[in-house]
Amino acid sequence: MSAPLIPIAGLSVSSREEMGAALQQGGCSKSSCGSSAGPADMDPATWAKVKDHPCYSEEAHHYFARMHVAVAPACNIQCNYCNRKFDCANESRPGVVSERLTPEQAARKVLAVAAEVPQLSVLGIAGPGDAAYDWRKTRATFAQVAERLPDIKLCLSSNGLALPDHVEEIVAMNIDHVTITINAIDPEIGAQIVPWIFYQGKRRTGIEAATILRDRQLQALEMLTEKGVLVKVNSVLIPGINDDHLIEVNKAVKARGAFLHNIMPLISDPAHGTHFGLTGQRGPTAAELKKVQDACAGGANLMRHCRQCRADAVGLLGEDRGQEFTLDKLPEVIEDAPEARDAYRAWVAEERKDRAAAAEHADAAAAATEAPTLFAVCTRGSGRINLHFGKATEFQIYEADADGIRFVGHRRADNYCLGGYGDEDRMGEIIRVLADVPYVLCQKIGEGPRASLAKYGIEAIDSLGEDYIETAIAAVLQSRAARAAKRA
């Protein structure tokens, strides 16, 4: 769901209520990556690191934005699912950017975004190559931004091969969030995913390459966690190759202190020009992805809200606003506005208290639920049902059962409304991705799409708009239980 970022002008407010109204008008967008744990579930130092990081806290992704800058084009491995593109505005996947930046250009762009987007809390470098292998540019970018914007968290992503060489500098620069992509710990499986690596001046292939890569990845994970850096491990789920193996990956990274494990679907399309795309390797269905994630429950904490961002993404998770901040659109003079970020964070702190109380009450109401029930939610952020069905490009999926109400993932669907008219092909895609979901919660929905959903056993409910998501789900469950009791 794409929603406009809140401009600085939207923050000239004097109360929490006015801030909330500005958010609803301006469009605080949706959530994404991270742990669902809150301050009661971790030590204060760890909570301080994750509470405003949308990729490390599922709750934070409802409120905070991140941005990536494409300063690290060089890469030292080849993955069968990757084809880096440096001038592409249309594809939304890792490794794709519209323009590569120098460290100086990147720092200027971060300043411009921070001045306009008070939700910004994190700067990440995720390529389009490898941030650790292209370390000189990564380090220079972070140094310039840290000097001008000390309140913005620094974060990098890497395949892990070069990462052990830079752990000491990472710690010294206060980069306390690092993501490592680990798709396999069995070299036989790893060799099917990564055909070659470049290590110690030599290209290596096959089992040798997969073994070196695996060892360096696990070494980096251990070194970083020992230094107190929070590490998220990304794993790409590739049906028929590593789907059964990811349980072992989850166990291995948990044993080495990973904070989160993000199991995400393979993006495979011949148009992308990747080896897997050109050879017909399919990605997993939503049900297959959830099955593997559920099988890993009890291991390393899972992140279920990742959006597999571009290497130049800007905005809240699920948004792709980078085209609004290309170099040619940046102002000549950029003045920071830290007071706007401070005001926004103060508003979020109060809003979180209200939502936590509502969620606790809702969990109690869900305790009588006999079987797990899925809900598809239309939201543009702030943990509320605040988006028209016709404007939804994705649905947040929540599950309710006797253990409570929780976010379990998101499902992408093309925007149903186009110029005010529904498109039957797009409606068919929505029905397909929501085939196992009996309820859709939205701010508003037309009678046509409501009837189309009903034909497939999906009930659309638009009477709970602006409610917190958990409160609305509890209300549906209570209404369902009351109807069942009346029939009995």
Side-chain angles (χ1 to χ4, degrees):
M1 285 153 273
S2 181
L5 298 176
I6 304 171
I8 292 299
L11 288 176
S12 57
V13 294
S14 58
S15 71
R16 187 167 154 257
E17 290 73 18
E18 290 175 353
M19 175 75 81
L23 287 169
Q24 296 307 321
Q25 283 295 107
C28 181
S29 185
K30 78 210 102 310
S31 358
S32 263
C33 314
S35 167
S36 60
D41 304 300
M42 62 187 75
D43 65 88
T46 301
W47 174 244
K49 290 181 180 179
V50 306
K51 67 183 180 69
D52 297 346
H53 197 310
C55 299
Y56 280 69
S57 165
E58 189 274 322
E59 183 198 35
H61 90 267
H62 290 280
Y63 303 107
F64 289 100
R66 69 2 184 168
M67 70 175 294
H68 295 165
V69 288
V71 298
C75 195
N76 51 355
I77 75 173
Q78 178 60 56
C79 299
N80 281 332
Y81 51 74
C82 183
N83 178 27
R84 295 182 297 281
K85 294 184 179 180
F86 301 143
D87 58 354
C88 179
N90 299 318
E91 295 178 19
S92 184
R93 61 181 175 86
V96 172
V97 300
S98 293
E99 55 187 5
R100 285 178 285 180
L101 307 175
T102 66
E104 293 73 24
Q105 290 171 331
R108 184 165 176 266
K109 180 175 179 177
V110 177
L111 285 169
V113 173
E116 290 294 323
V117 184
Q119 300 101 315
L120 183 68
S121 63
V122 175
L123 166 65
I125 297 178
D130 188 79
Y133 182 60
D134 218 343
W135 177 247
R136 181 181 60 82
K137 297 173 185 174
T138 297
R139 178 180 57 196
T141 303
F142 280 149
Q144 292 184 48
V145 172
E147 182 179 359
R148 297 286 300 276
L149 298 169
D151 62 310
I152 299 298
K153 296 181 182 298
L154 306 178
C155 181
L156 69 82
S157 296
S158 171
N159 60 52
L161 184 59
L163 203 48
D165 301 333
H166 305 296
V167 169
E168 295 300 328
E169 283 186 283
I170 286 171
V171 173
M173 295 181 71
N174 293 318
I175 303 168
D176 50 14
H177 300 80
V178 172
T179 295
I180 308 174
T181 297
I182 304 177
N183 295 315
I185 57 171
D186 180 342
E188 295 280 352
I189 296 174
Q192 299 177 60
I193 303 170
V194 178
W196 61 260
I197 67 171
F198 187 78
Y199 181 64
Q200 294 183 342
K202 180 181 177 181
R203 179 176 290 202
R204 303 164 194 269
T205 62
I207 299 298
E208 179 194 17
T211 301
I212 293 171
L213 180 60
R214 186 268 320 268
D215 292 346
R216 293 283 286 179
Q217 289 170 336
L218 297 181
Q219 179 188 4
L221 173 56
E222 292 176 348
M223 292 174 68
L224 288 164
T225 56
E226 286 174 1
K227 296 288 187 179
V229 176
L230 298 184
V231 179
K232 174 168 65 70
V233 171
N234 283 352
S235 297
V236 179
L237 172 55
I238 309 165
I241 294 181
N242 70 347
D243 41 356
D244 294 333
H245 178 59
L246 288 180
I247 296 176
E248 299 306 315
V249 175
N250 183 270
K251 293 176 181 177
V253 301
K254 178 183 180 181
R256 291 164 176 81
F259 182 73
L260 285 175
H261 188 195
N262 173 30
I263 300 173
M264 53 192 182
L266 170 70
I267 299 174
S268 184
D269 188 316
H272 297 160
T274 67
H275 174 77
F276 280 154
L278 294 172
T279 57
Q281 171 64 55
R282 70 174 181 87
T285 65
E288 288 172 332
L289 176 63
K290 187 175 185 298
K291 179 181 178 181
V292 173
Q293 291 173 330
D294 290 347
C296 292
N301 289 332
L302 293 175
M303 169 189 181
R304 296 179 186 252
H305 55 273
C306 178
R307 300 304 197 272
Q308 294 174 274
C309 307
R310 289 167 56 104
D312 58 1
V314 176
L316 289 100
L317 293 182
E319 287 181 326
D320 194 357
R321 312 299 300 273
Q323 292 304 303
E324 298 178 22
F325 295 96
T326 52
L327 290 177
D328 61 307
K329 296 175 183 175
L330 301 184
E332 288 295 324
V333 178
I334 302 172
E335 296 184 5
D336 189 25
E339 67 284 351
R341 294 193 296 278
D342 289 343
Y344 179 72
R345 291 167 189 173
W347 176 85
V348 169
E350 293 302 314
E351 182 75 359
R352 276 173 155 161
K353 294 177 184 177
D354 278 0
R355 188 180 179 209
E360 184 176 358
H361 178 76
D363 281 346
T369 304
E370 295 182 359
T373 303
L374 295 179
F375 293 79
V377 177
C378 299
T379 178
R380 63 168 181 255
S382 300
R384 295 179 183 272
I385 299 167
N386 53 15
L387 188 68
H388 192 292
F389 175 83
K391 301 300 182 183
T393 57
E394 70 172 20
F395 300 90
Q396 291 191 13
I397 307 300
Y398 281 74
E399 185 173 61
D401 58 22
D403 293 327
I405 299 168
R406 60 197 168 277
F407 173 86
V408 294
H410 63 93
R411 299 188 187 176
R412 185 82 184 177
D414 284 333
N415 195 6
Y416 178 69
C417 274
L418 184 63
Y421 297 93
D423 183 295
E424 288 303 317
D425 290 339
R426 294 181 180 186
M427 190 64 193
E429 176 66 9
I430 290 172
I431 290 170
R432 185 188 70 81
V433 301
L434 300 182
D436 60 338
V437 180
Y439 298 103
V440 170
L441 305 181
C442 54
Q443 189 176 46
K444 288 292 181 182
I445 185 170
E447 290 307 311
R450 186 195 300 274
S452 296
L453 291 172
K455 288 180 184 178
Y456 291 88
I458 304 171
E459 181 181 354
I461 299 170
D462 61 359
S463 58
L464 300 167
E466 303 303 332
D467 279 8
Y468 285 120
I469 294 168
E470 295 86 355
T471 301
I473 290 173
V476 174
L477 295 173
Q478 289 172 327
S479 176
R480 185 177 70 177
R483 290 198 304 267
K486 190 173 183 179
R487 288 192 301 267

